[in-house]
């Protein structure tokens, strides 16, 4: 009888005594390259006149990149993430012979009702494209499936790569903060709403409200939507709504609509504002067929309505553009040869381009892999025109 009472007690307390497994992964890459870079030098003549010369300076940087991710520390309550790089110029072509930066360096402590983190982290929600920040954050879970998050800190622009020598630093007074609410019912519903602001010199440069969600009414249907609003200007920066249907085990069919106003969040003083395209709405549909376990083909077609500056809808209406994409992916084995082929035809009524990309990787030996990649963007009217471009790479 005593043994019968002891058995359920042991089962009830057993999981509490089982420690959370510690998982640590680390990676280091060492690579070397030689390249000639233009360098502007200023020399003063005996007469006091400054002369400027462009010189080709050969650099031979030796790079080391390393990352570390640790989970399950302190009985499963702490996780740590580090990533950075360093380099030394073996050619000694600059006054600064070494360089480096820390891309990530943060730790997170989790309890039963929430979590705290601090350090340099990339926050993927909030601003379009995410936010790199030196700061702190907190998470609270008031009830099952619901999470409240907050983050505050200073935006940073860490260098992930670069040549040896002095570079511009991220100076000036800047700050960013944001909040997000999430709800998750695994396999059925996921909702998220966020607000984020980025300030520079005491002036709000960006105020963004965003939301996204996925609803799965059945195991064969996903309904997805997302929106990003420029709260300062009252403009819809990005929006998307689509439906994914899996009518059969090897088929996926999707259709939807998207809207983009890329220039809405690019400051006018930024050089990137010169490359911002027109506002557009796109209606698309496509399908993917997994022929076998390691071979899949897919196609997508889209009609895009361009809101070109200077053209009013009353006079000529929005410009029309089309896009057709066909792709094939071959992955017969997880660690074996793999290949990807992508063909795209794009026409906005003025310029037509045919873009072809092919890439493949295959093992050469037990410890060596090789990768070949090639791409071409051909002018739709004349493939031999100067607008056409080509790219090739072997690794």
């Amino acid at each position: 009888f005593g043994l019968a009472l002891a058995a359920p007690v042991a089962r009830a307390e057993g999981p509490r005594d089982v420690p959370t497994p510690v998982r640590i992964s680390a990676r280091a890459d060492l690579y070397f390259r030689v390249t000639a870079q233009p360098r502007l030098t200023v020399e003063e003549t005996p007469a006091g006149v400054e002369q400027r010369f462009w010189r080709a300076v050969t650099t031979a940087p030796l790079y080391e990149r390393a990352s570390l991710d640790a989970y399950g520390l302190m009985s499963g309550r702490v996780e740590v993430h580090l990533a950075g790089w360093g380099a030394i110029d073996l050619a000694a072509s600059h006054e600064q012979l070494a360089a480096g930066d820390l891309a990530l360096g943060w730790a997170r402590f989790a309890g039963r009702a929430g979590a705290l983190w601090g350090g340099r982290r990339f926050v993927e929600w909030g601003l379009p494209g995410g936010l790199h920040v030196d700061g702190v954050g907190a998470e609270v879970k008031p009830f099952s499936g619901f999470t409240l998050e907050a983050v505050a800190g200073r935006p940073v622009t860490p260098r992930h790569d670069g040549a040896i020598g002095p570079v511009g630093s991220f100076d000036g007074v800047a700050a960013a903060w944001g909040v997000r609410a999430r709800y998750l019912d695994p396999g059925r519903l996921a909702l998220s709403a966020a607000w984020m602001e980025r300030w520079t010199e005491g002036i709000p440069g960006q105020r963004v409200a965003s939301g996204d969600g996925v609803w799965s009414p059945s195991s064969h249907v996903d309904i997805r939507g997302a929106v990003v609003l420029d709260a300062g200007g009252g403009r819809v920066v990005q929006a998307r709504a689509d439906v994914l249907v899996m009518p059969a085990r090897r088929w996926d069919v999707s259709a939807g609509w998207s809207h983009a106003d890329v220039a809405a969040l690019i400051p006018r003083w930024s050089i990137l504002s010169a490359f911002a395209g027109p506002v557009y709405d796109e209606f698309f549909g496509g399908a993917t067929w997994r022929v076998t376990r390691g071979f899949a083909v897919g196609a997508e077609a889209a009609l895009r309505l361009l809101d070109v500056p200077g053209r009013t809808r009353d006079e000529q209406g929005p410009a029309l553009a089309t896009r057709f994409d066909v792709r094939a992916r071959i992955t017969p084995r997880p660690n074996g040869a793999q290949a990807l082929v992508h063909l795209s035809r794009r026409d906005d009524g003025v310029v037509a381009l045919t873009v072809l990309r092919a890439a493949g990787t295959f093992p050469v030996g037990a410890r060596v892999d090789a990768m070949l990649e090639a791409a071409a963007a051909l002018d739709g009217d004349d493939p031999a025109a100067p607008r056409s471009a080509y790219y090739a790479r072997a690794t």
Side-chain angles (χ1 to χ4, degrees), residues 35-41 54-60 89 91-94:
T35 180
Q37 296 182 342
R39 183 182 180 188
L40 180 62
T41 59
W54 282 102
R55 304 181 186 275
V57 179
T58 299
T59 61
D89 185 9
S93 57
H94 290 76

Side-chain angles (χ1 to χ4, degrees), residues 293-372:
R293 186 173 183 178
F295 178 54
V297 295
E300 186 175 82
L303 176 65
R304 181 173 293 186
L305 308 180
L306 304 176
D307 189 0
V308 182
R311 176 184 297 182
T312 63
R313 295 180 181 266
D314 295 336
E315 296 176 350
Q316 303 180 32
L320 296 179
T322 57
R323 174 176 60 85
F324 299 96
D325 291 272
V326 179
R327 60 190 179 278
R329 183 184 297 273
I330 304 174
T331 55
R333 293 180 301 164
N335 297 323
Q338 301 181 23
L340 172 67
V341 179
H342 183 199
L343 176 64
S344 179
R345 172 72 176 184
R346 308 166 188 179
D347 188 350
D348 63 359
V350 179
V351 177
L353 285 177
T354 300
V355 181
L356 174 63
R357 177 174 178 263
T361 178
F362 53 91
V364 178
R367 298 180 180 273
V368 179
D369 292 338
M371 185 184 74
L372 301 176

